Amino acid sequence: MPSRSDVHYFGAGPAPLPTNVLENASRALLNYNDKGIGICEISHRSPEANQILADAKNGLSTLLDIPDDYEILFLQGGGSGEFSAVVYHMVSLWVEKRRQRAEAELGAGKEAEVLERLRKEVKDELKLDYLVTGSWSLKASQEAARLVGSEHVNVAVDARKANNGKFGTIPAEAEWSLTPKQPGAAFTYFCDNETVDGVEVPAFPAALEGPDVAPVIADMSSNFISRRVDVSKYGVIFGGAQKNIGNAGVTIVIVKKALLGPLAAPTLLRQLNLPVGPIVLDWPTIAKNNSLYNTLPIFDVWVAGQVMQGLVQAYGAQKIAGQEEISNKKAELIYAVLDKHPGVYRVVPDKSVRSRMNICFRVHGGDDAREKDFLAGGEKRGLTGLKGHRSVGGIRASNYNAVPLEGAQKLAEYLEEYAKSS
C-alpha cells in the first residue's frame, strides 16, 4: 500500500490538501483546543466558531489585500449555488435602483405608474451579460436563463463559435457584444478559470474596466488564491473551496458592500414575475449574521482558514505573489514537455488562454487505448487523478496549490519518458 508521500494527486476536485493541515485536522476532529470534544461538535455560535471565522477572513484578506469596503461571506451550495444567488441578488438590486429612480421622477403616491414603468423596463432593458468561455460559464448562463428567461440573458461571448464548436479560446474583446453602458446590464459574469476545458482568463478584461460599467461577477472556484487579484475591479468574487482552499462543503463570496442593498421587496419581484431567492443564498442576510444565519460547517471553514494562514506564513510580505510564482513554475514545467513533443501530445486550449490550474491535453490525437495506457503508466508511478472530465475525455492535470513542485517535476519526467517510448 503506498504512503501519502508516494502519491501525487492531480484530481480536479475535491483536490489535495496540505498534509500538515490534514494532520492537524485529525487531532482537531477528536479534541479541539483541549476542549474534550471535536471541532465538528462545537456550536457554530460559540466563541471558538467566531474565532475560526475571523481567522479565515483575515487569512483571505491578507493574501488578496481585500479592501475594507468588501464583505467576506462563508455559505453553502458550491459554485452552482452561486450561479443562482448571483441572479437572485443582482436582479433584485437592479430592480430596486430602477424603482427608486421611477419614484423620484414620477413623484410620491404613484405606485401604479411606477409598477407599470418597471414592467416595461424589465421587459425591454433587463439584461444579464455572460462571457461563455467553457463548461462552467455555460452552466451559469443556463441557470440565469432558467430563472429569469433567456430573453434577459445576453451571451456576450460564446467561445465555441471561434473554435469549431468547442471551447478552447477566448475571442478578442473587440468581438464581444456586451450590453451598451446605457441602459447597461445588471452585471457581467465570467468564469476566471474553466476547470473542465483548461481555459483561464489571462488578466482582467479591459472591456470591463472604467466608469459606468456593469458590476463584474467572477467565479474563481478553481484558481482562487493562486495568483494576484485586484479585488477592487470586481463587484463579486465567489468560489467553492474544494480546489485550492479546502474541502468540499463551504463556498466563499467576496462582495462589495455597496452591492448588498437596498434590494427590491419580494412582493415587487413577484409582481414583475421575477424570482425570489431562498434565504440561505441571500447575501445581505448572510452578511448581517456573520455567515452564521444557519448552521455553517465550521470544520470546513477551519480547514480553509488553516490553508490560507499557512500561505500567509509561508510567503510573508509576498502574500499571494509567492504562491503565484510557484503556480506559474509548475505549469511551465508541464507545458514545456507537452510542447516539446507535438507528435505525442496536443494541448487542448489555445496557448493564449492556457490554464495554470487545469492542464488539459490529448495523447496521440485522443486515441482511447493509448490514453488509457498513459493513465495506467502514471498510476504505476504514483501520478493519479489524471483522467479528463467525463464530458470531454482526454487527460487533465489539475495543478492546484497543494500539488508540490516535486509533483509537477515527476509528472514532467513521466511525460518526457512516455513521449520517448511511444
Side-chain angles (χ1 to χ4, degrees), residues 49-57 74 290-292 296 298 301:
N50 275 280
Q51 188 60 54
I52 288 168
L53 270 165
D55 290 344
K57 288 182 180 181
F74 292 88
N290 189 32
S291 296
L292 296 171
L296 188 69
I298 288 298
V301 178

Side-chain angles (χ1 to χ4, degrees), residues 57-80:
K57 288 182 180 181
N58 182 64
L60 186 57
S61 293
T62 300
L63 287 171
L64 296 184
D65 286 316
I66 298 175
D68 292 338
D69 60 338
Y70 282 76
E71 192 80 51
I72 299 173
L73 311 178
F74 292 88
L75 60 167
Q76 297 166 68
S80 295

Side-chain angles (χ1 to χ4, degrees), residues 26-361:
S26 68
R27 292 186 286 270
L29 282 168
L30 291 173
N31 190 350
Y32 181 68
N33 280 2
D34 294 323
K35 291 180 64 67
I37 61 172
I39 190 171
C40 290
E41 300 164 296
I42 65 172
S43 168
H44 65 297
R45 302 196 187 283
S46 65
E48 291 82 5
N50 275 280
Q51 188 60 54
I52 288 168
L53 270 165
D55 290 344
K57 288 182 180 181
N58 182 64
L60 186 57
S61 293
T62 300
L63 287 171
L64 296 184
D65 286 316
I66 298 175
D68 292 338
D69 60 338
Y70 282 76
E71 192 80 51
I72 299 173
L73 311 178
F74 292 88
L75 60 167
Q76 297 166 68
S80 295
E82 292 310 303
F83 295 167
S84 307
V86 165
V87 177
Y88 291 134
H89 183 90
M90 298 303 293
V91 168
S92 181
L93 185 71
W94 183 91
V95 168
E96 178 58 17
K97 287 181 178 179
R98 292 303 186 97
R99 188 200 66 78
Q100 291 182 8
R101 187 176 73 180
E103 188 176 78
E105 293 176 359
L106 295 173
K110 299 288 184 69
E111 289 83 1
E113 291 90 336
V114 168
L115 180 60
E116 189 57 34
R117 174 164 156 176
L118 285 174
R119 282 178 173 148
K120 187 176 189 310
E121 289 184 349
V122 167
K123 179 178 181 292
D124 296 341
E125 298 179 16
L126 176 60
K127 294 294 180 185
L128 318 180
D129 282 1
Y130 281 80
L131 311 183
V132 176
T133 57
S135 299
W136 287 111
S137 50
L138 176 61
K139 286 180 183 291
S141 70
Q142 290 170 337
E143 173 64 357
R146 189 183 72 87
L147 292 174
V148 298
S150 58
E151 68 272 18
H152 297 300
V153 176
N154 173 41
V155 177
V157 174
D158 185 342
R160 294 172 295 183
K161 295 179 180 179
N163 196 46
N164 298 316
K166 295 182 178 180
F167 293 118
T169 188
I170 299 177
E173 293 184 21
E175 299 175 30
W176 298 1
S177 57
L178 295 166
T179 298
K181 291 181 181 180
Q182 295 298 329
F187 62 84
T188 301
Y189 165 97
F190 70 90
C191 182
D192 208 41
N193 185 80
E194 292 282 2
T195 321
V196 172
D197 307 284
V199 171
E200 187 171 28
V201 177
F204 189 88
L208 305 183
E209 294 194 64
D212 302 322
V213 297
V216 176
I217 316 292
D219 176 357
M220 293 190 182
S221 292
S222 54
N223 65 351
F224 234 150
I225 63 170
S226 71
R227 66 178 180 182
R228 286 165 288 185
V229 173
D230 184 351
V231 175
S232 67
K233 293 182 177 181
Y234 299 83
V236 180
I237 295 170
F238 71 81
Q242 67 273 13
K243 312 289 188 179
N244 271 329
I245 297 180
N247 52 292
V250 68
T251 312
I252 300 173
V253 176
I254 305 169
V255 55
K256 195 173 183 66
K257 291 177 181 178
L259 296 180
L260 286 175
L263 304 181
T267 51
L268 175 58
L269 293 172
R270 282 191 283 270
Q271 287 177 304
L272 297 171
N273 294 318
L274 292 171
V276 178
I279 197 71
V280 292
L281 294 180
D282 186 73
W283 296 338
T285 298
I286 303 302
K288 288 173 187 174
N289 288 276
N290 189 32
S291 296
L292 296 171
Y293 176 77
N294 62 326
T295 306
L296 188 69
I298 288 298
F299 174 69
D300 301 338
V301 178
W302 180 85
V303 170
Q306 291 289 298
V307 170
M308 292 186 287
Q309 292 290 347
L311 292 177
V312 170
Q313 294 168 11
Y315 297 117
Q318 278 188 291
K319 300 181 181 178
I320 205 60
Q323 180 60 52
E324 181 178 19
E325 183 178 330
I326 297 296
S327 297
N328 291 347
K329 186 172 183 179
K330 290 190 298 176
E332 288 164 5
L333 274 170
I334 297 167
Y335 279 124
V337 182
L338 295 173
D339 288 338
K340 182 181 176 183
H341 301 284
V344 179
Y345 306 117
R346 176 180 63 82
V347 178
V348 174
D350 185 78
K351 195 168 188 177
S352 62
V353 294
R354 288 178 177 177
S355 170
R356 301 160 304 121
M357 296 289 101
N358 307 104
I359 299 171
C360 298
F361 59 98

Side-chain angles (χ1 to χ4, degrees), residues 395-419:
I395 314 298
R396 174 175 57 178
S398 292
N399 192 30
Y400 297 132
N401 289 356
V403 174
L405 181 59
E406 177 192 3
Q409 290 170 333
K410 287 193 173 183
L411 177 56
E413 290 168 2
Y414 173 53
L415 288 167
E416 185 73 45
E417 177 187 334
Y418 181 88

